[in-house]
Amino acid sequence: MSTETATPSTPPSPTAVRLARWKRSAGSTWKEFRSQKGGMAGLIGLSFFILLAIFGPALVDSSALSVTQATGGRMAPPGDGYILGTDEFGRSVALLTLMGARVTLIIGVAAAFMGMFIGTTVGIIAGHFEGKISWVLMRITEWFMNLPTLVLAVVLVVILGRGMLVLIIAIGVTSWAGTARVIRAQTRAVEGRPYLERARALGAGHGHQMSRHVLPNVMPLVMASTIMAVAGAILSESTLAFLGLYDPDSLSWGMMLNRAWSSGGMSAGAWWYMLPPGFMILLVVLCFTLCGRALETALNPRLRK
Amino acid sequence: MTPHKLLPRAAAAAGALLLGATLSVPAWADADEAETDTDEGVESADEVDSDDPNTLVVGTSQSIETWNPFQQTYVIEHQFRQITYEPLVRLSAEDYTPEPGLAEDWEASEDGLTWTFELREDAYWHDGEQFTAEDVVYTYHIMREDPDISARNAPTNELIADVRAEDDFTVVFELNFPDIGIEASDQVIVPKHIWEEHEGAWGEYDNDDFPIVGIGPFQASEFSVDSYIRYTANEDYFRGAPGFDELVFQYYTEPDTSIAALEAGEVDLIGGLNEQQIRRLEGIEHVTTNTAPDRRWFAMRFNHGPQTRDGEEFGNLREAVTDPAVRQAIHHALDREELIERVRGGFGDPATSIVPNVFTNIWWEPSDDIRVDFDLDAANTLLDEAGYEWADGADFRTTPDGEPLELRIAVDAGNTERENTSLFIQEWLAEIGIDLERVITEDVEDLFLNGDVEMSFTGWGIQPNPVYNLNRQSCGQLPVEPGDGGTDTYYCNEDFDALIAESQQELDEDRSVELFHELQETLYTDNVMIFLWYPHVMEAYNNVKITDVTTQPEDEGMIMGQSGPWAYWSAQPTGETFGGVSTGVLIGTGVVVIVAAGVVVAVLVKRKKTAEDRE
Amino acid sequence: MTSHTTAALPAGSESAGNAPGEKAPRSSSGFGRYLINRISGTIVSLIAIVFSAFFIFRVLPGNPVENLMAEFENPSPELQAALIEEWGLNDPLPVQFWNYLTGLLQGNLGTSIQFGVPVNQLFADRLFPTLLLGGVALILAVILGYGLGAQAAWRHGTGFDRRTVYTALVFFAAPTFWVAMIAIIIFSRELRLFPTGRMRSAGAGDNFFAQFLDVGYHMILPTVTLTLMMYSGYLLTMRAAMLDEMGNDYLTTARAKGLRDNVVQRKHAMRNAMLPTTTVVFMSIGNLINGSLITEMIFSWPGLGYTFYQAISVPDYPVLQGLFVIFAGSTVLANLAADIMYWFIDPRARKA
């Protein structure tokens, strides 16, 4: 009883303060975000793709992927019950496109998160510590920035073997360096602020400083970049898949385009086989980009003009 | 062609050895009256001009790496040898039977150890020198004495004890043991007077002093890296002058591009097409398509258990594949007709053996009592009887040892045909309770040889004498050290080996055929591999410009990739041309583009101005 | 590959400047020290690249001889053994590394396995097509990006601005290889306006003018594809940098004063915005390499990117190593150029 009555009078816990502040800023960010048409369009598009990725494969009978049970003609144009025509085995391109959403999104999102995780960790550590640690980390970062990323990713996949996890790793590992540099700069800026100096003076450990003070401050930037990074990761996945570096058991849009190309879709003029997966990639990347831009604008008052 | 199967073998002209050039040029200049035409041909042909009705333009995706015929490896280089040089004995265009090349007649002694070749007296090298027995002797001298070249020709050097010139036009080969392979060895003869300039360093000689002195219907006269190879007709060819004055191999990195070129009349003959491409070309009036059985076979091979020659086993192969019942069941579960139809668009013949059906004399087909047909029920019964149980509700069977019945197949990355085939096989095997994992990899050979996969695809081209390919399935090919290559399957069967040895020494034709049939039957019934199809070559040419192309074999045969110069030598110009982008069109296009760009710039500038005015 | 996304596609102005800025040394002063610092960093990077180039590709699975067998007319174990010996694949790894290193120091990159020619010569043959395609596309992308970006910023908030930005975003989102495929289908296959690939045609004639036109004709589709793939990043950067400049008071005043000044000031703003944008152009060289690789592959353009593609499945170690050094090396040098340029743009970089 007493605690209940006492609550209003006691000062709110730091967590509660942080939560409230976070709620407030999230609210204003959302308001800003909502006012941007492009961002909202992207968000709506994204929800559609996410629903498609979750429920799409459930709507389609798994025999749609079977080559021995396929009934359509070989690369038949749209018509005859196949609204988007058929592939080289006589499977429905429309159904394949539906099925492709899940793998594409999973790889894109997972790889982007992996890249952001590495990039943020390296960036914060390199920004927080001076001297050798920072120097070494930044040399490693530079090394990754200078390597031709596509070349490196191709080599990684070839060495590790084709699989979803390998693709995620290959894309994640080759895409974090840019993030690390941006986060490091941001960390440096945050570290200069008075309250961090106070925390240091009060004897807060490195871990505490980084996780409690630096991380929350760079988090908005990280979130916005992650969303943009998903767009990049999806494009990377498509490119790798198009080069034949796909997981043979998980159908993605890039893999469809590879198959269309390598099975002679160009000579056959099978536009119905190439347009749908490409459009889907374009749309989903566009949605992520729009969302990312809108979020960045919402988080950064300097950009609102 | 798939994105990474695009491995066109580009090449570049290697550094020039001036010595040979200075020597061959005066000889060329001294050439008699008959050469004058050719000379003009060279001059007027500074550009590759498909508009010229007397120039045959062939599309190729490979380029020549070395002009040294002893060091060559690629198919395009094989073609260079076929049309520039000549062996003692040719394989006929009609049916691959031996026929006179530089030798008019030949015979073997009773014991098969002495072969005497009577040479033509009417053959002249491109520079006018007469061909004699000395050239033959010198060619084999090079093969024996050069360290690099002799390594490549180890089997020939082991076989041949001596080659000597009896007189100017008689050569005698003494063999260490009888081998009918010597008859049509396809070894081209090189001119002694050119090659002796490089005594002792033949292996390093690039032989790229254009025009290259050979003896065949065409002479390589010009080469531009990644661009083209030009051949000029040899009017004095002993079989008669070729139909076209010039033969140009135009480099195309991709079939798709060369098809557009054929349609436009920029190129006259192309090969290596796929089903879509051939179908597209079938509808075009000035194009004749040619699909014919190739000298190749394609199979799914089983891993029979990695072991060294000493019998040491290694690798972690899944045992089930070594069970004959499992292999037989898998054989029943593959539908060759369906695969050919769905994966190759019908362009292939069902295969039954390691010898392609073009070699009608030795090709073998199973009789009805041993034939294995597509029959999933039969496959299931076989597995049931062999103790591979199907637990209730399980998707796949378990082995008698209680392990899940899982097998792995390595699929060559970037090879669409093999990948597609593996998709079908995976689904069929699922129906008989075998869980097949597809491993797509750049590294099929290593995975297979290390026993990390139970199956993979393989296929080779075959010479009329299939002994080399049969040999790869013999115990003698087992590696000395784990992981070394040589064997195709780790198959080892002493009876099979004895048959090979016998066939190699058998001079009697009927008995030889019989032996080959027995060998093929063993491969089939033991399920060493499952032969899936004999692919068809898919080629197309411009019928407005070319006529009278000889195929090999004559009936439903191939044009490019022949053994011999037949197609290129026999093809006749009609005197007409079709299409071709002329310089005029190009200039026109250029002008249009420039004008268009100008208009765009003008519009942009104007827009900018108005925009500025508005603001 | 678009790992560069965040750098090449800034939503706002700060990405254009911050990234290289934070590299500014804290303890040095003066351009000389800054330069020495940057150059020494570059040398460290180059050494790291030379070393990694060897090892990255050695771990590639696959045996070049085995993979090339299918291309041979008459494969045999003897041939295989002879080739392995010829190509030095039997040498122990340290020996191979030593040969690579000493060769590299003498400017010798070895001999290509699949092409059988010195890698130097191969690169010499293929460098020009890459520079031609990449260079022209880069110039076009810069012109297009700068021009449209500046226009869009100046007319901020108008329909033109929105259209320009959204068009750029759409091109950014489209996979390069897909755009190339669609371009080939429409313009080469159906309309038959342009060739489907390659750099020269057979019957182009021998004189320079004809060759020039022929190459130009073949270049159009790949160049347009590559340009479309790259221009959007520059456009958005330019637009952001311009907006940043325009936020400055002196410009606002200038605009208020009337049209004449306005035009002058716009030029001024554009000039100021150009430097940060150009930094981004230099930093996007990796992007250009990725784009070239794909474009060259699809259009069979005989450049370095296409060569990489041909070499990877063999694997042709000498070629791969050499390309890797070239690609990574040019990225490092471009970054150095960006850093140097940055010194002149941002006073913060000079602060001790």
Side-chain angles (χ1 to χ4, degrees):
Chain A
M1 282 305 265
S2 60
T3 44
E4 266 180 24
T5 46
T7 306
S9 56
T10 50
S13 74
T15 323
V17 171
R18 201 171 290 127
L19 207 66
R21 200 192 304 144
W22 187 84
K23 260 187 189 158
R24 227 180 8 256
S25 74
S28 76
T29 306
W30 169 238
K31 223 175 103 191
E32 272 306 320
F33 187 95
R34 218 172 36 187
S35 69
Q36 301 182 62
K37 273 192 215 141
M40 282 311 285
L43 193 64
I44 292 166
L46 267 194
S47 334
F48 166 75
F49 277 112
I50 289 167
L51 289 176
L52 190 67
I54 296 172
F55 299 109
L59 297 174
V60 182
D61 188 56
S62 64
S63 71
L65 287 178
S66 163
V67 290
T68 51
Q69 294 168 39
T71 51
R74 197 180 155 91
M75 282 204 205
D80 263 352
Y82 294 97
I83 44 169
L84 291 175
T86 61
D87 73 350
E88 73 273 29
F89 298 118
R91 300 180 291 184
S92 159
V93 171
L95 294 183
L96 292 177
T97 310
L98 275 182
M99 305 279 269
R102 182 179 285 182
V103 172
T104 308
L105 275 185
I106 288 178
I107 295 180
V109 172
F113 271 94
M114 180 173 169
M116 291 315 289
F117 178 76
I118 303 176
T120 310
T121 314
V122 172
I124 291 183
I125 294 175
H128 178 77
F129 293 102
E130 301 274 337
K132 279 204 190 94
I133 298 179
S134 174
W135 190 87
V136 168
L137 284 177
M138 286 327 283
R139 290 291 85 71
I140 295 173
T141 310
E142 241 163 59
W143 189 75
F144 270 97
M145 284 205 83
N146 289 331
L147 297 183
T149 47
L150 180 58
V151 172
L152 198 62
V154 167
V155 171
L156 273 175
V157 179
V158 169
I159 294 168
L160 299 175
R162 292 156 172 76
M164 251 165 91
L165 191 64
V166 170
L167 281 166
I168 292 168
I169 292 172
I171 298 169
V173 160
T174 52
S175 67
W176 57 270
T179 313
R181 279 174 68 161
V182 175
I183 297 296
R184 176 173 173 268
Q186 188 74 11
T187 305
R188 285 269 152 100
V190 172
E191 297 248 334
R193 289 183 195 161
Y195 66 86
L196 219 99
E197 304 207 344
R198 204 178 61 209
R200 255 197 296 272
L202 289 173
H206 289 300
H208 181 88
Q209 288 174 39
M210 285 189 281
S211 63
R212 286 308 184 79
H213 300 286
V214 179
L215 188 63
N217 275 293
V218 297
M219 214 48 211
L221 181 67
V222 170
M223 271 164 54
S225 316
T226 308
I227 291 175
M228 301 282 278
V230 176
I234 289 176
L235 282 176
S236 299
E237 188 274 334
S238 319
T239 307
L240 287 175
F242 179 71
L243 292 175
L245 303 164
Y246 48 75
D247 174 355
D249 297 319
S250 352
L251 181 82
S252 76
W253 291 324
M255 175 179 170
M256 283 180 74
L257 287 170
N258 167 279
R259 301 205 57 96
W261 163 274
S262 58
S263 58
M266 296 288 279
S267 339
W271 53 267
W272 58 89
Y273 192 1
M274 299 180 198
L275 281 182
F279 259 126
M280 294 302 254
I281 296 171
L282 191 157
L283 284 178
V284 76
V285 171
L286 190 62
C287 288
F288 273 108
T289 312
L290 287 173
C291 277
R293 278 172 62 86
L295 189 58
E296 259 181 51
T297 312
L299 290 169
N300 187 346
R302 263 183 74 214
L303 299 177
R304 293 179 216 144
K305 290 203 177 107
Chain B
M1 209 119 161
T2 71
H4 24 207
K5 194 53 207 194
L6 309 165
L7 277 173
R9 307 291 159 215
L17 283 177
L18 289 169
L19 185 63
T22 45
L23 279 162
S24 61
V25 167
W28 171 252
D30 285 344
D32 57 31
E33 285 297 312
E35 303 277 17
T36 322
D37 286 354
T38 341
D39 264 338
E40 277 171 9
V42 171
E43 283 191 10
S44 67
D46 274 331
E47 53 188 78
V48 181
D49 190 356
S50 58
D51 278 348
D52 183 343
N54 290 315
T55 298
L56 174 59
V57 185
V58 185
T60 174
S61 63
Q62 291 185 337
S63 190
I64 291 197
E65 178 181 304
T66 171
W67 298 90
N68 184 328
F70 300 102
Q71 299 277 37
Q72 294 182 321
T73 34
Y74 298 111
V75 176
I76 182 83
E77 297 170 334
H78 167 78
Q79 292 197 337
F80 158 74
R81 291 199 304 279
Q82 297 299 318
I83 56 178
T84 330
Y85 293 104
E86 193 80 22
L88 293 176
V89 178
R90 277 284 189 210
L91 296 173
S92 73
E94 292 74 38
D95 55 2
Y96 289 103
T97 49
E99 75 162 55
L102 288 173
E104 279 180 324
D105 200 13
W106 58 94
E107 61 176 346
S109 63
E110 244 354 66
D111 57 6
L113 290 175
T114 308
W115 290 69
T116 310
F117 293 85
E118 301 294 338
L119 309 181
R120 315 185 153 261
E121 301 183 16
D122 59 348
Y124 292 87
W125 295 103
H126 290 148
D127 57 4
E129 291 269 335
Q130 187 168 24
F131 158 77
T132 69
E134 283 306 313
D135 294 315
V136 180
V137 174
Y138 196 75
T139 300
Y140 280 89
H141 170 66
I142 293 174
M143 286 163 61
R144 187 175 294 272
E145 298 305 324
D146 189 274
D148 288 353
I149 296 171
S150 63
R152 287 190 179 208
N153 290 292
T156 313
N157 292 338
E158 248 167 64
L159 171 67
I160 299 176
D162 185 39
V163 183
R164 62 174 194 277
E166 205 92 301
D167 58 51
D168 269 3
F169 298 100
T170 310
V171 179
V172 177
F173 285 67
E174 298 286 354
L175 307 189
N176 287 323
F177 47 88
D179 183 354
I180 50 162
I182 193 73
E183 186 181 19
S185 69
D186 210 37
Q187 175 59 52
V188 297
I189 306 302
V190 299
K192 181 183 179 190
H193 63 283
I194 302 283
W195 286 76
E196 64 187 355
E197 303 293 337
H198 305 277
E199 182 78 36
W202 307 285
E204 286 108 69
Y205 177 42
D206 288 320
N207 191 31
D208 59 351
D209 310 314
F210 294 96
I212 297 170
V213 176
I215 202 162
F218 288 95
Q219 177 173 29
S221 55
E222 203 191 342
F223 171 59
S224 170
V225 187
D226 276 10
S227 188
Y228 59 84
I229 311 162
R230 185 194 309 280
Y231 293 93
T232 318
N234 171 15
E235 304 291 335
D236 295 333
Y237 183 48
F238 56 78
R239 286 193 182 89
F244 280 89
D245 290 349
E246 268 201 357
L247 177 61
V248 173
F249 285 82
Q250 176 76 41
Y251 181 72
Y252 288 93
T253 46
E254 255 192 280
D256 251 4
T257 322
S258 61
I259 287 163
L262 180 68
E263 287 177 32
E266 286 170 31
V267 69
D268 306 319
L269 169 64
I270 55 176
L273 306 174
N274 67 26
E275 184 212 349
Q276 268 81 21
Q277 293 160 336
I278 209 98
R279 294 229 189 287
R280 179 182 171 88
L281 289 169
E282 269 167 359
I284 295 171
E285 207 177 325
H286 74 276
V287 172
T288 298
T289 55
N290 180 50
T291 59
D294 201 349
R295 298 191 314 240
R296 289 178 170 271
W297 52 270
F298 179 72
M300 183 179 83
R301 60 174 167 175
F302 289 112
N303 197 331
H304 294 260
Q307 54 169 319
T308 62
R309 220 167 283 181
D310 304 334
E312 180 203 338
E313 294 186 12
F314 57 94
N316 45 5
L317 194 75
R318 298 190 177 149
E319 285 295 311
V321 73
T322 56
D323 182 344
V326 170
R327 294 203 304 273
Q328 185 76 359
I330 292 175
H331 198 161
H332 271 297
L334 303 187
D335 186 346
R336 294 183 171 89
E337 270 82 12
E338 177 85 353
L339 281 175
I340 293 170
E341 198 51 44
R342 302 283 298 279
V343 174
R344 282 193 63 82
F347 293 106
D349 295 330
T352 48
S353 94
I354 203 163
V355 177
N357 53 355
V358 282
F359 301 117
T360 41
N361 51 338
I362 48 168
W363 178 56
W364 172 86
E365 258 192 309
S367 55
D368 283 343
D369 52 324
I370 52 172
R371 172 183 293 283
V372 181
D373 288 315
F374 177 61
D375 187 343
L376 292 175
D377 295 335
N380 272 318
T381 314
L382 269 170
L383 289 174
D384 288 340
E385 284 168 1
Y388 295 85
E389 300 283 330
W390 211 321
D392 283 335
D395 283 341
F396 299 104
R397 292 171 185 270
T398 43
T399 66
D401 301 338
E403 300 286 320
L405 183 48
E406 291 170 347
L407 297 175
R408 297 159 295 184
I409 185 165
V411 183
D412 311 68
N415 189 324
T416 314
E417 190 173 284
R418 294 186 179 190
E419 202 186 321
N420 290 351
T421 307
S422 73
L423 271 172
F424 281 88
I425 294 177
Q426 187 182 38
E427 288 186 22
W428 281 321
L429 292 198
E431 302 222 6
I432 62 170
I434 299 176
D435 187 1
L436 182 67
E437 181 195 346
R438 299 185 302 135
V439 183
I440 297 196
T441 173
E442 271 75 12
D443 208 14
V444 170
E445 201 62 24
D446 277 359
L447 288 182
F448 191 88
L449 290 179
N450 291 329
D452 292 324
V453 291
E454 286 70 41
M455 307 170 211
S456 83
F457 296 109
T458 186
W460 291 106
I462 292 271
Q463 299 301 312
N465 179 355
V467 118
Y468 164 67
N469 278 266
L470 289 167
N471 235 332
R472 283 181 71 97
Q473 327 310 328
S474 68
C475 304
Q477 295 295 319
L478 291 179
V480 179
E481 293 291 322
D484 283 357
T487 176
D488 266 346
T489 49
Y490 286 111
Y491 181 66
C492 177
N493 172 348
E494 268 144 33
D495 299 340
F496 183 81
D497 291 8
L499 283 172
I500 295 181
E502 203 184 334
S503 76
Q504 216 160 346
Q505 305 189 355
E506 184 56 63
L507 294 174
D508 177 68
E509 209 170 306
D510 292 340
R511 176 62 190 148
S512 171
V513 167
E514 210 173 287
L515 287 167
F516 278 132
H517 280 180
E518 271 181 59
L519 283 162
Q520 296 172 63
E521 182 174 340
T522 312
L523 291 179
Y524 186 86
T525 50
D526 270 6
N527 287 309
V528 176
M529 310 186 206
I530 299 177
F531 297 97
L532 294 173
W533 63 69
Y534 306 124
H536 286 178
V537 292
M538 296 186 221
E539 308 165 318
Y541 63 91
N542 181 337
N543 59 27
V544 173
K545 194 169 159 182
I546 314 173
T547 178
D548 291 339
V549 186
T550 302
T551 59
Q552 183 185 40
E554 212 160 40
D555 197 22
E556 284 185 61
M558 62 166 95
I559 299 174
M560 303 169 84
Q562 292 184 356
S563 190
W566 315 120
Y568 300 121
W569 171 63
S570 66
Q572 297 293 326
T574 58
E576 288 170 49
T577 58
F578 175 89
V581 181
S582 68
T583 319
V585 172
L586 279 173
I587 293 174
T589 319
V591 169
V592 169
V593 169
I594 291 166
V595 168
V599 170
V600 170
V601 170
V603 168
L604 280 180
V605 169
K606 195 147 179 278
R607 276 194 66 152
K608 205 176 159 193
K609 282 227 173 80
T610 49
E612 278 170 7
D613 291 344
R614 270 206 302 274
E615 265 155 342
Chain C
M1 210 62 185
T2 40
S3 53
H4 54 273
T5 315
T6 39
L9 193 71
S13 57
E14 76 283 284
S15 326
N18 274 358
E22 53 85 27
K23 279 165 78 181
R26 292 183 159 193
S27 55
S28 67
S29 63
F31 182 62
R33 292 191 66 173
Y34 177 74
L35 196 64
I36 288 168
N37 197 311
R38 300 295 356 128
I39 289 179
S40 59
T42 303
I43 291 170
V44 171
S45 293
L46 286 177
I47 292 172
I49 284 163
V50 165
F51 276 79
S52 33
F54 180 83
F55 293 103
I56 284 179
F57 295 106
R58 291 298 136 165
V59 285
L60 273 186
N63 170 349
V65 183
E66 204 60 66
N67 287 335
L68 288 177
M69 288 301 252
E71 308 284 327
F72 300 161
E73 178 62 25
N74 242 333
S76 66
E78 286 78 17
L79 174 63
Q80 202 171 343
L83 288 176
I84 287 176
E85 197 55 44
E86 247 176 80
W87 294 339
L89 298 168
N90 258 355
D91 298 342
L93 216 55
V95 173
Q96 291 189 33
F97 183 62
W98 179 249
N99 290 340
Y100 158 77
L101 216 57
T102 50
L104 200 66
L105 288 176
Q106 296 158 15
N108 174 5
L109 295 169
T111 304
S112 156
I113 289 175
Q114 60 174 326
F115 303 113
V117 296
V119 174
N120 285 345
Q121 190 193 329
L122 186 72
F123 287 0
D125 289 338
R126 298 184 173 204
L127 183 64
F128 171 69
T130 292
L131 289 181
L132 182 68
L133 176 63
V136 172
L138 182 66
I139 290 167
L140 287 179
V142 165
I143 293 174
L144 204 63
Y146 280 24
L148 288 174
Q151 282 270 337
W154 201 254
R155 295 155 71 180
H156 184 235
T158 64
F160 174 81
D161 181 27
R162 272 197 300 277
R163 275 198 305 279
T164 314
V165 169
Y166 283 124
T167 313
L169 287 178
V170 167
F171 279 117
F172 174 80
T176 316
F177 62 88
W178 183 70
V179 173
M181 281 159 75
I182 301 295
I184 291 177
I185 288 206
I186 296 176
F187 295 104
S188 301
R189 287 242 153 268
E190 300 308 321
L191 300 178
R192 308 207 164 204
L193 285 175
F194 298 106
T196 49
R198 301 196 311 134
M199 194 166 98
R200 295 169 206 273
S201 53
D206 205 32
N207 66 67
F208 176 78
F209 186 61
Q211 289 276 341
F212 177 80
L213 283 180
D214 187 42
V215 171
Y217 179 54
H218 283 81
M219 257 184 82
I220 294 175
L221 276 192
T223 312
V224 168
T225 308
L226 196 51
T227 307
L228 287 179
M229 185 233 154
M230 306 214 321
Y231 90 100
S232 52
Y234 307 149
L235 185 150
L236 295 168
T237 314
M238 186 66 185
R239 179 175 170 273
M242 274 287 277
L243 286 177
D244 224 22
E245 280 299 320
M246 283 157 56
N248 287 343
D249 289 343
Y250 72 93
L251 265 178
T252 324
T253 342
R255 292 188 87 171
K257 276 202 272 179
L259 191 94
R260 246 188 102 77
D261 278 352
N262 176 10
V263 173
V264 174
Q265 294 301 344
R266 168 147 67 146
K267 288 203 173 120
H268 190 77
M270 191 164 163
R271 204 171 303 133
N272 280 350
M274 224 139 122
L275 272 170
T277 316
T278 308
T279 320
V280 170
V281 170
F282 273 99
M283 289 176 64
S284 69
I285 179 118
N287 198 3
L288 178 64
I289 291 171
N290 291 337
S292 298
L293 227 149
I294 298 293
T295 314
E296 287 184 8
M297 182 204 117
I298 295 189
F299 288 101
S300 310
W301 186 261
L304 294 177
Y306 187 63
T307 309
F308 171 78
Y309 182 68
Q310 293 175 303
I312 186 86
S313 58
V314 172
D316 194 340
Y317 303 123
V319 171
L320 293 171
Q321 279 160 201
L323 281 176
F324 192 82
V325 170
I326 291 184
F327 287 158
S330 45
T331 315
V332 171
L333 294 180
N335 278 333
L336 177 68
D339 279 347
I340 292 172
M341 196 176 289
Y342 199 74
W343 169 267
F344 295 102
I345 307 168
D346 192 346
R348 277 177 297 172
R350 301 177 206 176
K351 271 184 212 144

